[in-house]
Amino acid sequence: MKRLGKLKLNTQLLAVFFAAVLLLSVGHFFVYSYLLNTVQGEEESLSRERMGSAIAEMSNLFDDAKAAYVEVLGIEKLKTYNGDGMDMYSLAQIQLLATKALSHKAYIHSWFIMLDGCDQIISKNGIIMPESYFEYICVSDTYDGAFWQARLQDTAGKQFFPAAVYSTRQNNGKKMDLMLMPLTVSPGWHAKTMIVLLLDMRTMCRNADTYMETGTYFFDEDGTFLYTTDTETVIDDIPGEDFVKDGAGGQYMVLQSPVRNGPDCVKLLPESEATALLQNNFILCLGIALGAIVLVLIFIPRSVKNMMAPVNQMVSLVRQHATPQEENLHGIRQELEQILKSREQQAADLAQRDAALSQYFLHSRLKNVYVDVEPVSFNRGFYTVDMRFFYSVTLQAYLGSPAP
């Protein structure tokens, strides 16, 4: 067995091998490019379809919330409230009707109603003093009683506020920290009443579609960031491109859609494992193709020269034998004439020798030669030559007597 150091490389085989690698790499390059575009297109199409379905469900939930707070605003005592305060009986009636309209909504975690000129708050937990409610029942470092009192004075219509952590006390006495997004509603005819709904957006997203539980962002109509279902925020404003990247370099496809009676919704679709795998293979095939091109450029000149040597020899032979068929036949005739002359001379010499050796042999001469030239059917360019010699022989004959 030869040592590896003495092994000689066959450049022709190497050229064929690297050419095959090049062709396969280029083929895979285009195949993976096609698959990548196909997968991305299908993912985007499916995501937009599901996004549309989820947004429709989310719009239905906000429609439901609107119907609930419109029902509360339709309570007679709130419609006729003029800011002069309200007795406990009327507050209790409002609390009962508001609870009936709002408390069965799973995504409305808490709610309260503030009345200008009234020193009490109507809430899910009952009729409570503002100080006690915001310090013990619905506690937030972002939104306190003074903040909502100021909103009551200068807010009309509907407005969303960025979500904040709320420490709320449940009916069983336990506290729970939740990220809630406030929604305020004031009637358009006066600013004496304000309803505040603390929306559990995670529950709302789950009820709309589990597809919305991750990568979902909500923005107000002016672009203000309101809420996200992600633990780590990737974007804090509405992106203007179809793709965004996070701090770790992860890429997301952006799907955006407005929600009826709600904020604008942006869905970040992370790059799928299938797409990432195709992209990695795409880059790998590109690298292999480039490497194969370099190797082919190194080995191919000499290999092509070696591989073309037999072809060049064949071309040279064809050129050498490219004379017309008539010229070949003329040369054959000349050679045959020389052969015939030689044969005649040999026959004459043989006749002289025979005459000298035999008393009965009187005369012999060559009369004719038949020559037949035919092409060989199975080998083009070759011919067969058939020659027949005819002699005239004169003999002495005796009929039994020894004397002539």
Side-chain angles (χ1 to χ4, degrees):
M1 184 175 181
K2 295 182 179 181
R3 293 185 301 173
L4 183 63
K6 296 182 179 180
L7 183 64
K8 294 183 179 180
L9 296 178
N10 190 323
T11 54
Q12 295 182 10
L13 292 179
L14 284 176
V16 172
F17 171 76
F18 289 126
V21 172
L22 175 62
L23 292 176
L24 290 175
S25 301
V26 172
H28 281 76
F29 179 86
F30 289 105
V31 168
Y32 280 117
S33 176
Y34 172 76
L35 290 177
L36 181 62
N37 294 333
T38 301
V39 170
Q40 287 180 339
E42 290 180 353
E43 283 188 352
E44 182 175 357
S45 177
L46 291 175
S47 297
R48 290 190 182 280
E49 182 178 353
R50 189 167 183 183
M51 177 74 172
S53 175
I55 291 299
E57 292 297 327
M58 184 72 68
S59 298
N60 292 336
L61 292 176
F62 275 100
D63 289 344
D64 185 53
K66 178 181 179 180
Y69 64 68
V70 167
E71 181 180 350
V72 174
L73 291 175
I75 298 174
E76 187 64 28
K77 291 187 178 296
L78 289 180
K79 290 173 61 177
T80 58
Y81 181 68
N82 56 10
D84 294 335
M86 190 175 294
D87 59 83
M88 186 60 68
Y89 178 76
S90 298
L91 293 175
Q93 283 187 322
I94 295 174
Q95 199 272 341
L96 180 63
L97 295 174
T99 301
K100 182 179 178 181
L102 300 174
S103 294
H104 65 282
K105 312 293 184 184
Y107 52 86
I108 301 178
H109 184 270
S110 298
W111 56 268
F112 58 90
I113 302 174
M114 298 184 70
L115 302 175
D116 189 20
C118 181
D119 57 359
Q120 305 246 358
I121 285 181
I122 305 171
S123 71
K124 174 183 177 180
N125 303 88
I127 301 171
I128 309 171
M129 297 295 294
E131 296 80 6
S132 300
Y133 183 78
F134 291 113
E135 290 182 9
Y136 300 104
I137 298 178
C138 188
V139 182
S140 172
D141 294 336
T142 305
Y143 305 112
D144 54 8
F147 175 85
W148 292 122
Q149 189 63 42
R151 295 298 96 193
L152 175 62
Q153 301 297 328
D154 58 11
T155 300
K158 180 182 69 175
Q159 184 175 357
F160 292 98
F161 292 87
V165 176
Y166 274 88
S167 179
T168 60
R169 187 179 298 276
Q170 306 302 305
N171 293 331
N172 56 10
K174 294 183 179 180
K175 285 189 175 182
M176 180 181 297
D177 292 336
L178 291 174
M179 182 70 73
L180 303 175
M181 186 178 74
L183 166 62
T184 63
V185 182
S186 297
W189 54 88
H190 64 76
K192 303 296 183 180
T193 304
M194 182 177 69
I195 303 173
V196 180
L197 306 181
L198 301 181
L199 303 178
D200 185 355
M201 294 300 296
R202 183 169 294 277
T203 299
M204 182 173 281
C205 290
R206 186 186 304 115
N207 290 345
D209 193 325
T210 54
Y211 175 75
M212 306 290 287
E213 287 188 279
T214 57
T216 304
Y217 292 74
F218 292 93
F219 297 89
D220 203 357
E221 58 184 6
D222 61 355
T224 303
F225 173 72
L226 298 176
Y227 177 80
T228 178
T229 55
D230 289 340
T231 54
E232 295 183 2
T233 303
V234 177
I235 57 175
D236 54 7
D237 55 2
I238 299 178
E241 301 178 353
D242 294 334
F243 291 90
V244 295
K245 291 185 177 181
D246 58 14
Q251 183 164 301
Y252 299 84
M253 183 172 64
V254 179
L255 301 178
Q256 182 178 348
S257 178
V259 179
R260 187 173 61 252
N261 294 317
D264 291 340
C265 179
V266 174
K267 171 70 177 178
L268 297 185
L269 181 67
E271 183 180 65
S272 68
E273 294 182 1
T275 304
L277 180 61
L278 284 175
Q279 287 180 342
N280 293 335
N281 289 336
F282 181 82
I283 296 173
L284 177 62
C285 288
L286 178 60
I288 294 176
L290 293 176
I293 291 174
V294 173
L295 293 175
V296 167
L297 291 177
I298 294 175
F299 287 97
I300 205 69
R302 182 179 176 183
S303 300
V304 170
K305 182 179 180 181
N306 295 335
M307 295 175 68
M308 291 299 294
V311 178
N312 294 331
Q313 294 178 0
M314 294 178 63
V315 172
S316 177
L317 290 175
V318 170
R319 289 177 178 176
Q320 291 177 2
H321 295 80
T323 57
Q325 186 175 7
E326 291 77 7
E327 294 182 3
N328 291 338
L329 294 176
H330 180 71
I332 292 173
R333 290 192 187 96
Q334 290 180 349
E335 291 179 2
L336 288 177
E337 290 176 357
Q338 293 178 0
I339 293 173
L340 290 175
K341 291 179 180 180
S342 175
R343 291 294 184 182
E344 289 179 355
Q345 184 64 37
Q346 290 178 2
D349 293 343
L350 182 60
Q352 291 179 359
R353 287 195 299 268
D354 288 345
L357 294 175
S358 177
Q359 58 178 338
Y360 304 106
F361 186 79
L362 298 179
H363 182 69
S364 175
R365 66 184 182 87
L366 181 65
K367 293 186 65 178
N368 192 14
V369 178
Y370 175 75
V371 180
D372 184 18
V373 180
E374 294 183 356
V376 178
S377 60
F378 58 85
N379 196 352
R380 185 177 182 182
F382 290 83
Y383 302 86
T384 60
V385 180
D386 294 334
M387 300 177 62
R388 295 181 183 180
F389 296 88
F390 297 89
Y391 292 92
S392 176
V393 180
T394 302
L395 299 174
Q396 289 182 353
Y398 297 90
L399 298 177
S401 175

